[in-house]
C-alpha cells in the first residue's frame, strides 16, 4: 500500500486548487492532486471575465466593492451570506491586480489599464477580461506561477473517498490513473476544490469531467450538501452541443431574438434587457419556446451581426471559433442558435455556520470554488463572480490554515486502521463491480441526465420532481448491480467513469430532494406551482444529509444585515 | 446520410502487443470522433483508453491522429472528416502494422505521434511537460498583496495574444524534427518562450534566461522551418512563426 504524507492535500487543480496551493506551498508540505493535468481543468473554459470594482473605465469610476456586493446579493435573490459576499468584493480589486502581477494577459484599455466590460445584473462595467478566454488566461497564469514556485503536483490521480477518524479528516484514498494503484494521501487537512457537477444533467456547458467527485466523497463522509437545488441554467449555450457562448457576447451588445424577430427581453426586463441576470433570461427564453415563438420550436437567436466584424474578431474570437466549428455558423454573418443549458452549481459542500471560509463540519476538511457552497452566489450567480470566488477564497483559505497551524490530534494507530478500512472498502467495491452482471454504467448515466433535464430544469413542479426522485432512487438500486471490468486498472476510464457516476447519482438525488422541499421560487429555482418567493419560510439555506431512512433536510440561517431584503426587479 | 460509421482503432494494452480493432458506431447529427470513442467505451469495451476533458476544443486533452492527421478528437466531426486536408510536410505517421484500411469508408484513430504510447490512444506526456518547464514559462516577477497594476498598451498585448491561446495539447509535436530528435524542445515550448520574451512586462534578466535555454542546439536552431506545427495547431498559435521570431531577433544579432 502506497502512502504519501503531507501537511495538506488539495484535490483539484483548477483556479481554486492552484491558488490555495500557491499560498500553502510557501510554508507547508503541500500536494495538489488532480484527475487531469492542471491546465485541463474546467476553469479554463470560463470565457467572459472576472468582476472587480476597479473603475478603470470612465463610466465605471463610481463603482465600489459595496456596489459590487449589492449587485451580487440582489442577483442571489437575497440567499447569499452577505458578510462573505462583502469580503469577496472587497478582495476583488486586489486579486485581479495580483493576477496581473503574475503575468495574466488581460485585454487592455487605451490607457494601458485592464479592460472591463458590462455583464448581467451589474450596475457598472466591472468584468475584467482577456478576450473571451479569461478562464484559460487565468488558469495558465496560475499554472505558470505554480511551476515557478515549485508546487508539488500529483497529476491523474482520482479521488475515491475521504478517510476520517471520528470527526477528523486524516486523508484521502485515490486511484493513480496511470499505474492503476490505490494511493493514500495522509494529511490532517484536505481541501476539496473539485469543481462543479453539471454532468448530472444531459444538457450542460460543463466539461465531461465535472462530475462532483469532491462532493460525492464529502457526502459519503457525512458532510451535507447546501443549497443544492439552485442550478444555474445559462441562457446562451450553443443549440445542440450546449457549448458555452459567453454572456460577454451580450455585454458587448448582442441581442436575443425569438422567431418573430422580437427582442423579447424588453418585456421581461425593460431596463437591463439582455443583461438581466441569467436565471431571468433563461426563463424568458424557455417561455418563448414553450409558447411557440422559438426558432424551429427549439431555440433562440443570439444576434451579433450588428457589432461588426472588427469588434467580433477582437473581443469575441473564441465565440466565433466555437460557432463556426460546432454549429457551422459565422456570427459576423448570421445569428447564433442558443438555448438554456445547465451551467453552474450554486450549491455544494456545506460550510459550517460561523466557521472559517470553506470550513466544513468535518474537522480539517475545507472546500473551495464550485464544489463548495460558501455561500456567495445564493440562489443565482452573477457572471464574472465564479472566477473571482475561486481565487479570493483559494488565497484566503490557504492563509487561514497557515495561521491556524498544523493539526495533529489523531493517533497513528487510528489513522492506519482507517486507511486499511478505506483500502478494503474500495477493493471490495471494485471486486463487486467486476463480478456483477447487471446494468452498464452508460444506461444509468444517460437516464439520469435525461430525467434531470426534463424534470429538474428551468421550470419545476411537485409532480415532475417527485417522478424524478422516484426514478433516481430506482437508478441508485440499478447501480448496485452495475458491471464494469476492474481487472486491468491502468488508465481504466470505464472504471473512473463508474466512480464518477457513483458521485453524480448522489448529487442528482440531493438536488431533486431539495428542489421538492423548497416550495417557493427564488433565483434559479423556479416552481410553477409556487411562483412567489417566500422569505418567511424559505429565506434559509438547505442542508441535505443521508440518514438511515434516506435523505433528510435541515436548514441554517442566511447571514443578512448589510443590505435589506427586497423584491428583485431589473 | 449513413447510419453507421466504421472506426479502425489502434489498441495497445502496454504489453507490446499492438492490434487494430473495428467498431461500428451509430451516427447522429454533429457527432465528433471523441463522442464516437465514448460510444465504443460505453457499449463495446470499457477499457478503451483515451484522454478527454472539455469536449469543446479548449482544454487540450484529446489529441490523437485521425485519418493520419494529428487532431483534437472533439474538434473533428464525422460529417466533415472528408474535408480534412493532410498538412504539407507532415511526415508519415506509423504505429506498426496497419491492417488493410478502407480510407473511403473507415475512420482510422491512432495516438499522437512522436510520443511514447502507454495504452491505446494514451501517450506519455512527461517529456512534453518537462521541456515546457525548461523554458521557464512564467513571468518572473514577485507578486504580493500590495502589487500594483502595471500598464500594458493594447498593442503590446496584441504581440503576445496569439501565443497566449496555446492549450498545450501537444499536436505540434508531429513536427518532423520531433520525430528524429527526442531532445528537441518542441514547437509549443518555443512558442511559450516567445510569449514571455515578448511580454512588455518581462525584464531583461528573464529574457536572457529564457534565451539561454532556447538558443541551445536542441531548441530554436534545430527547427527546420517545416511549419507543420502551424498547420496542425488547433488554436492558430503558429508556433513555427514564433520560432522564426526568436531566430530573426536573436540569432542574426549573434552572427
Amino acid at each position: 500500500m502506497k502512502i504519501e504524507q503531507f501537511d495538506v492535500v488539495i484535490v483539484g487543480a483548477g483556479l481554486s486548487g492552484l491558488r490555495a496551493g500557491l499560498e500553502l506551498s510557501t510554508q507547508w508540505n503541500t500536494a495538489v492532486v488532480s484527475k487531469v493535468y492542471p491546465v485541463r481543468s474546467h476553469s479554463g473554459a470560463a470565457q467572459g471575465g472576472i468582476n472587480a470594482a476597479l473603475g478603470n473605465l470612465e463610466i465605471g469610476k463610481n463603482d465600489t466593492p459595496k456596489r459590487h456586493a449589492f449587485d451580487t446579493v440582489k442577483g442571489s435573490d437575497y440567499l447569499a451570506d452577505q458578510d462573505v459576499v462583502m469580503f469577496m468584493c472587497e478582495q476583488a480589486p486586489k486579486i485581479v491586480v495580483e493576477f496581473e502581477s503574475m503575468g495574466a494577459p488581460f485585454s487592455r484599455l487605451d490607457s494601458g489599464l485592464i479592460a472591463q466590460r458590462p455583464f448581467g445584473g451589474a450596475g457598472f462595467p466591472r468584468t475584467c477580461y482577456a478576450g473571451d478566454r479569461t478562464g484559460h488566461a487565468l488558469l495558465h497564469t496560475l499554472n505558470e506561477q505554480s511551476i515557478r514556485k515549485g508546487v508539488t503536483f500529483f497529476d491523474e490521480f482520482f479521488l475515491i473517498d475521504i478517510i476520517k477518524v471520528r470527526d477528523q479528516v486524516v486523508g484521502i484514498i485515490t486511484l493513480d490513473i496511470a499505474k492503476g494503484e490505490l494511493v493514500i494521501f495522509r494529511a490532517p487537512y484536505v481541501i476539496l476544490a473539485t469543481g462543479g457537477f453539471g454532468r448530472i444533467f444531459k444538457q450542460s456547458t460543463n466539461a465531461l469531467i465535472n462530475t462532483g467527485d469532491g462532493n460525492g466523497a464529502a457526502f459519503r463522509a457525512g458532510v451535507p450538501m447546501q443549497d443544492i437545488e439552485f442550478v444555474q441554467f445559462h441562457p446562451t449555450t450553443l443549440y445542440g452541443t450546449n457549448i458555452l457562448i459567453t454572456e460577454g457576447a451580450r455585454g458587448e451588445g448582442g441581442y436575443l431574438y425569438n422567431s418573430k424577430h422580437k427582442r423579447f427581453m424588453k418585456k421581461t426586463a425593460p431596463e437591463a434587457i439582455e443583461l438581466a441576470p441569467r436565471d431571468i433570461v433563461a426563463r424568458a427564453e424557455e417561455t418563448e419556446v414553450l409558447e411557440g415563438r422559438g426558432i424551429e420550436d427549439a431555440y433562440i437567436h443570439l444576434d451579433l451581426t450588428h457589432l461588426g466584424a472588427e469588434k467580433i474578431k477582437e473581443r469575441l474570437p473564441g465565440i466565433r471559433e466555437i460557432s463556426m466549428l460546432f454549429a457551422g455558423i459565422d456570427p459576423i454573418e448570421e445569428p447564433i442558435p442558443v438555448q438554456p443549458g445547465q451551467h453552474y452549481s450554486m450549491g455544494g459542500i456545506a460550510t459550517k455556520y460561523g466557521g472559517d471560509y470553506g470550513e466544513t463540519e468535518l474537522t480539517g476538511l475545507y472546500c473551495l470554488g464550485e464544489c463548495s457552497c460558501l455561500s456567495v452566489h445564493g440562489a443565482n450567480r452573477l457572471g464574472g463572480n465564479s472566477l473571482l470566488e475561486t481565487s479570493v477564497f483559494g488565497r484566503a483559505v490557504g492563509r487561514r490554515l497557515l495561521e491556524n497551524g498544523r493539526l495533529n490530534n489523531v493517533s497513528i494507530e487510528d489513522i492506519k486502521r482507517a486507511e486499511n478500512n478505506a483500502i478494503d472498502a474500495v477493493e471490495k467495491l471494485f471486486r463487486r463491480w467486476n463480478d456483477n452482471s447487471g446494468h452498464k454504467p452508460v444506461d444509468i448515466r444517460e437516464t439520469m441526465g435525461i430525467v434531470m433535464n426534463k424534470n429538474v430544469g428551468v421550470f419545476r413542479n411537485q409532480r415532475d420532481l417527485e417522478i424524478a426522485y422516484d426514478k433516481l432512487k430506482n437508478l441508485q438500486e440499478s447501480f448496485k448491480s452495475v458491471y464494469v471490468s476492474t481487472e486491468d486498472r491502468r488508465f481504466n476510464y470505464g472504471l473512473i467513469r463508474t466512480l464518477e457516476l457513483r458521485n453524480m447519482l448522489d448529487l442528482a438525488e440531493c438536488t431533486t430532494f431539495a428542489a421538492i422541499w423548497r416550495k417557493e421560487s427564488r433565483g434559479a429555482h423556479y416552481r410553477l406551482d409556487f411562483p412567489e418567493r417566500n422569505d418567511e419560510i424559505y429565506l434559509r439555506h438547505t442542508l441535505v444529509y443521508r440518514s438511515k431512512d434516506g435523505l433528510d433536510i435541515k436548514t441554517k440561517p442566511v447571514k443578512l444585515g448589510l443590505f435589506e431584503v427586497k423584491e428583485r426587479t431589473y | 446520410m449513413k447510419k453507421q460509421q466504421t472506426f479502425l482503432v489502434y489498441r495497445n494494452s502496454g504489453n507490446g502487443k499492438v492490434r487494430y480493432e473495428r467498431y461500428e458506431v451509430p451516427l447522429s447529427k454533429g457527432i465528433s470522433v471523441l463522442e464516437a470513442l465514448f460510444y465504443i467505451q460505453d457499449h463495446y469495451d470499457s477499457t478503451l483508453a483515451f484522454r478527454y476533458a472539455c469536449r469543446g476544443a479548449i482544454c487540450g486533452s484529446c489529441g490523437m491522429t485521425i485519418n493520419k492527421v494529428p487532431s483534437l478528437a472533439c474538434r473533428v466531426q464525422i460529417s466533415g472528416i472528408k474535408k480534412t486536408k493532410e498538412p504539407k510536410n507532415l511526415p508519415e505517421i506509423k504505429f506498426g502494422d496497419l491492417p488493410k484500411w478502407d480510407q473511403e469508408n473507415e475512420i482510422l484513430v491512432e495516438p499522437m505521434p512522436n510520443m511514447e504510447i502507454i495504452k491505446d490512444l494514451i501517450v506519455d506526456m512527461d517529456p512534453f511537460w518537462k521541456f515546457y518547464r525548461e523554458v521557464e514559462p512564467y513571468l518572473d516577477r514577485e507578486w504580493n498583496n500590495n502589487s500594483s497594476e502595471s500598464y500594458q498598451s493594447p498593442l503590446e498585448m496584441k504581440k503576445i495574444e496569439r501565443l497566449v491561446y496555446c492549450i498545450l495539447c501537444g499536436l505540434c509535436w508531429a513536427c518532423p524534427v520531433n520525430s528524429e530528435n527526442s531532445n528537441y524542445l518542441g514547437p509549443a515550448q518555443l512558442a511559450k518562450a516567445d510569449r514571455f520574451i515578448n511580454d512588455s512586462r518581462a525584464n531583461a534578466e528573464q529574457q536572457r534566461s529564457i534565451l539561454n535555454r532556447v538558443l541551445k542546439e536542441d531548441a530554436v536552431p534545430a527547427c527546420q522551418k517545416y511549419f507543420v506545427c502551424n498547420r496542425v495547431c488547433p488554436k492558430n498559435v503558429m508556433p513555427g512563426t514564433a520560432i522564426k521570431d526568436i531566430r530573426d531577433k536573436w540569432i542574426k544579432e549573434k552572427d
Side-chain angles (χ1 to χ4, degrees), chain A residues 269-424:
Chain A
E271 281 180 41
I273 319 178
E274 278 88 357
L275 283 180
R278 292 172 179 175
D279 56 333
I280 293 171
V281 183
R283 276 196 292 276
E285 288 181 359
E286 192 99 334
T287 304
E288 291 303 304
V289 173
L290 287 173
E291 293 179 359
R293 295 184 298 276
I295 295 140
E296 293 182 41
D297 278 330
Y299 56 88
I300 293 297
H301 270 152
L302 169 62
D303 192 0
L304 309 180
T305 53
H306 58 283
L307 301 181
E310 199 183 330
K311 193 168 184 181
I312 292 173
K313 283 183 189 167
E314 188 201 315
R315 306 272 178 89
L316 303 163
I319 291 314
R320 182 163 179 244
E321 184 193 319
I322 287 167
S323 305
M324 290 164 74
L325 206 59
F326 293 96
I329 273 167
D330 184 349
I332 293 174
E333 316 277 337
E334 283 175 90
I336 310 170
V338 294
Q339 66 181 155
Q342 191 285 344
H343 180 58
Y344 188 86
S345 318
M346 267 76 72
I349 300 165
T351 43
K352 187 168 145 185
Y353 190 76
D356 284 343
Y357 299 130
E359 188 179 6
T360 72
E361 288 175 13
L362 195 59
T363 308
L365 184 72
Y366 285 71
C367 53
L368 281 175
E370 194 175 343
C371 74
S372 71
C373 185
L374 284 174
S375 118
V376 284
H377 310 304
N380 174 62
R381 176 175 70 78
L382 292 190
N385 271 352
S386 61
L387 294 183
L388 180 62
E389 181 199 357
T390 61
S391 40
V392 163
F393 293 102
R395 182 168 81 175
V397 167
R399 284 185 183 167
R400 180 49 67 86
L401 292 194
L402 292 175
E403 279 166 30
N404 290 353
R406 292 179 174 87
L407 273 178
N408 182 15
N409 52 1
V410 184
S411 73
I412 188 71
E413 290 74 30
D414 281 351
I415 293 175
K416 284 184 174 165
R417 196 174 310 125
E419 288 171 350
N420 285 328
N421 289 343
I423 296 258
D424 289 347

Side-chain angles (χ1 to χ4, degrees), chain A residues 53-346:
Chain A
L54 286 172
N56 284 355
L57 283 161
E58 194 55 36
I59 46 164
K61 267 224 144 51
N62 294 326
D63 198 8
T64 62
K66 194 163 182 196
R67 292 195 160 114
H68 180 186
F70 170 75
D71 288 341
T72 301
V73 167
K74 183 183 173 189
S76 83
D77 221 345
Y78 297 91
L79 192 71
D81 284 339
Q82 298 186 3
D83 55 339
V84 195
V85 171
M86 197 61 212
F87 175 79
M88 178 177 80
C89 298
E90 277 171 347
Q91 294 283 313
K94 283 183 176 174
I95 209 87
V96 168
V97 171
E98 186 188 81
F99 269 125
E100 195 283 327
S101 324
M102 290 176 172
F106 284 108
S107 297
R108 299 286 177 155
L109 301 168
D110 286 337
S111 62
L113 292 170
I114 295 169
Q116 296 188 281
R117 60 166 50 124
F119 242 54
F124 293 92
R126 180 185 291 146
T127 307
C128 310
Y129 61 93
D132 56 359
R133 296 167 191 171
T134 314
H136 174 267
L138 300 187
L139 180 66
H140 278 247
T141 300
L142 285 191
N143 187 53
E144 289 156 5
Q145 290 300 321
S146 302
I147 290 171
R148 175 166 169 257
K149 298 280 187 184
V151 176
T152 305
F153 285 98
F154 290 84
D155 298 332
E156 302 194 312
F157 280 68
F158 185 88
L159 165 70
I160 300 175
D161 267 310
I162 289 164
I163 306 173
K164 60 174 187 173
V165 171
R166 292 174 295 277
D167 282 331
Q168 160 73 51
V169 68
V170 294
I172 54 170
I173 179 165
T174 67
L175 179 65
D176 176 343
I177 297 175
K179 293 207 176 94
E181 291 168 1
L182 296 179
V183 176
I184 280 174
F185 288 82
R186 185 186 290 167
Y189 284 115
V190 171
I191 301 178
L192 298 174
T194 55
F197 42 94
R199 282 288 147 193
I200 63 175
F201 288 84
K202 179 169 178 260
Q203 293 178 325
S204 170
T205 61
N206 283 195
L208 305 174
I209 57 173
N210 288 19
T211 53
D213 307 324
N215 298 72
F219 189 63
R220 280 189 298 277
V223 181
M225 293 297 119
Q226 179 179 334
D227 295 343
I228 194 168
E229 65 274 33
F230 296 103
V231 179
Q232 180 160 80
F233 297 91
H234 196 291
T236 56
T237 81
L238 200 61
Y239 177 61
T241 53
N242 301 103
I243 294 174
L244 177 64
I245 303 292
T246 177
E247 186 167 303
R250 283 170 287 140
E252 295 295 348
Y255 296 148
L256 293 171
Y257 288 115
N258 62 17
S259 63
K260 311 246 185 269
H261 203 65
K262 279 258 154 41
R263 279 176 71 191
F264 55 90
M265 282 311 298
K266 281 185 176 173
K267 70 178 178 231
T268 318
E271 281 180 41
I273 319 178
E274 278 88 357
L275 283 180
R278 292 172 179 175
D279 56 333
I280 293 171
V281 183
R283 276 196 292 276
E285 288 181 359
E286 192 99 334
T287 304
E288 291 303 304
V289 173
L290 287 173
E291 293 179 359
R293 295 184 298 276
I295 295 140
E296 293 182 41
D297 278 330
Y299 56 88
I300 293 297
H301 270 152
L302 169 62
D303 192 0
L304 309 180
T305 53
H306 58 283
L307 301 181
E310 199 183 330
K311 193 168 184 181
I312 292 173
K313 283 183 189 167
E314 188 201 315
R315 306 272 178 89
L316 303 163
I319 291 314
R320 182 163 179 244
E321 184 193 319
I322 287 167
S323 305
M324 290 164 74
L325 206 59
F326 293 96
I329 273 167
D330 184 349
I332 293 174
E333 316 277 337
E334 283 175 90
I336 310 170
V338 294
Q339 66 181 155
Q342 191 285 344
H343 180 58
Y344 188 86
S345 318
M346 267 76 72

Side-chain angles (χ1 to χ4, degrees), chain A residues 19 22 36-37 39-40 44-45 54 56 91 94 97-98 100-114 130-133 136-137 140 143-145 147-149 156 199 204-209 241-243 314 317 321-322 325-326 395 399 440 442-443 445-446 484-485 488 490-494 496-497 500, chain B residues 13-15 29-30 34 38 41-44 46-61 74-75 77 118-119 122-126 128-129 132-133 137-154 157-158 160-161 164-170 192 195-196 199 201 234-235:
Chain A
R19 189 62 194 82
L22 275 171
V36 292
Y37 294 117
V39 294
R40 313 299 189 216
L54 286 172
N56 284 355
Q91 294 283 313
K94 283 183 176 174
V97 171
E98 186 188 81
E100 195 283 327
S101 324
M102 290 176 172
F106 284 108
S107 297
R108 299 286 177 155
L109 301 168
D110 286 337
S111 62
L113 292 170
I114 295 169
D132 56 359
R133 296 167 191 171
H136 174 267
H140 278 247
N143 187 53
E144 289 156 5
Q145 290 300 321
I147 290 171
R148 175 166 169 257
K149 298 280 187 184
E156 302 194 312
R199 282 288 147 193
S204 170
T205 61
N206 283 195
L208 305 174
I209 57 173
T241 53
N242 301 103
I243 294 174
E314 188 201 315
E321 184 193 319
I322 287 167
L325 206 59
F326 293 96
R395 182 168 81 175
R399 284 185 183 167
K440 283 182 179 168
V442 58
D443 300 330
R445 192 189 311 117
E446 285 183 357
V484 66
S485 168
D488 182 357
R490 294 166 314 126
F491 284 109
N492 187 337
Y493 282 104
I496 296 288
R497 291 173 72 217
E500 291 173 338
Chain B
S13 56
N15 54 11
K29 190 169 175 263
L34 184 70
F38 275 120
Q41 192 184 72
D42 280 337
H43 294 275
Y44 302 134
S46 67
T47 69
L48 173 66
F50 52 93
R51 288 195 178 97
Y52 61 90
C54 77
R55 69 81 173 81
I58 43 163
C59 78
S61 299
C74 69
R75 204 173 176 276
Q77 284 175 28
I118 303 177
K119 188 183 175 190
I122 290 184
V123 294
D124 183 6
M125 291 286 285
D126 283 353
F128 184 88
W129 300 122
Y132 173 65
R133 285 192 295 271
Y138 43 75
L139 193 66
D140 196 11
R141 180 164 86 164
E142 276 318 304
W143 40 267
N144 56 52
N145 210 22
N146 301 314
S147 317
S148 59
E149 184 178 345
S150 44
Y151 291 84
Q152 189 172 47
S153 73
M157 166 57 202
K158 271 270 163 320
I160 59 168
E161 191 175 28
V164 158
Y165 288 155
C166 172
I167 57 173
L168 301 172
C169 61
K192 194 56 79 176
R195 176 246 181 276
F196 283 103
D199 193 317
R201 299 167 294 179
K235 301 309 269 187

